[in-house]
Amino acid sequence: MTINDLQLQEEINNSFTHTIHCQVGFIDYFVFPSEIYINGLLIYREYRRQGWGSKLLMSVVNQHKDKDIRLRCQPMDNVPYENLVRFYERLGFVMGIGGFMRKEKQE
């Protein structure tokens, strides 16, 4: 199964709040003129460690290449903080101040 096989359902709550739900989890984010803020990324337990988190996150990042991406590194569901930081670092994010991570826009 690939990201294209998932039945992605994007919910736009207003002009800047977006949520994408699918069989493996969801990603919740805000769209601002110059940046995207990832509010939450959750992959259901049975789908973890199969690449779905990367695929779901990168689908949003690739859709908004012209914007900086920011997120707060907040572990959920007993995932160690260090593992979460490594996950985001592998995807090109760097640690900033106060637990926030960022990925600069792609020119």
Side-chain angles (χ1 to χ4, degrees):
M1 184 164 51
T2 69
I3 193 78
N4 295 328
D5 296 326
L6 298 178
Q7 296 171 351
L8 300 178
Q9 300 173 350
E10 184 165 9
E11 179 180 313
I12 301 173
N13 302 316
N14 54 46
S15 62
F16 67 96
T17 305
H18 298 248
T19 304
I20 298 175
H21 299 272
C22 62
Q23 301 96 306
V24 300
F26 69 88
I27 186 166
D28 185 54
Y29 61 100
F30 300 103
V31 178
F32 298 104
S34 62
E35 71 179 17
I36 301 294
Y37 178 76
I38 307 289
N39 190 45
L41 170 65
L42 177 74
I43 301 301
Y44 304 129
R45 284 181 191 235
E46 61 269 25
Y47 295 105
R48 290 185 188 161
R49 307 206 49 81
Q50 299 175 38
W52 293 114
S54 301
K55 290 173 185 168
L56 196 53
L57 178 60
M58 292 311 292
S59 72
V60 171
V61 169
N62 291 333
Q63 184 180 3
H64 299 282
K65 290 180 181 181
D66 61 331
K67 299 180 183 344
D68 292 340
I69 311 289
R70 307 227 184 273
L71 58 86
R72 179 89 188 238
C73 197
Q74 296 178 321
M76 298 168 68
D77 210 13
N78 297 322
V79 174
Y81 181 78
E82 297 78 22
N83 292 7
L84 195 54
V85 170
R86 277 194 305 273
F87 167 77
Y88 289 120
E89 286 176 339
R90 279 194 313 269
L91 297 174
F93 287 82
V94 294
M95 184 58 76
I97 298 172
F100 284 92
M101 298 190 79
R102 71 182 191 290
K103 182 175 179 66
E104 302 299 322
K105 65 182 172 184
Q106 301 170 9
E107 305 270 342

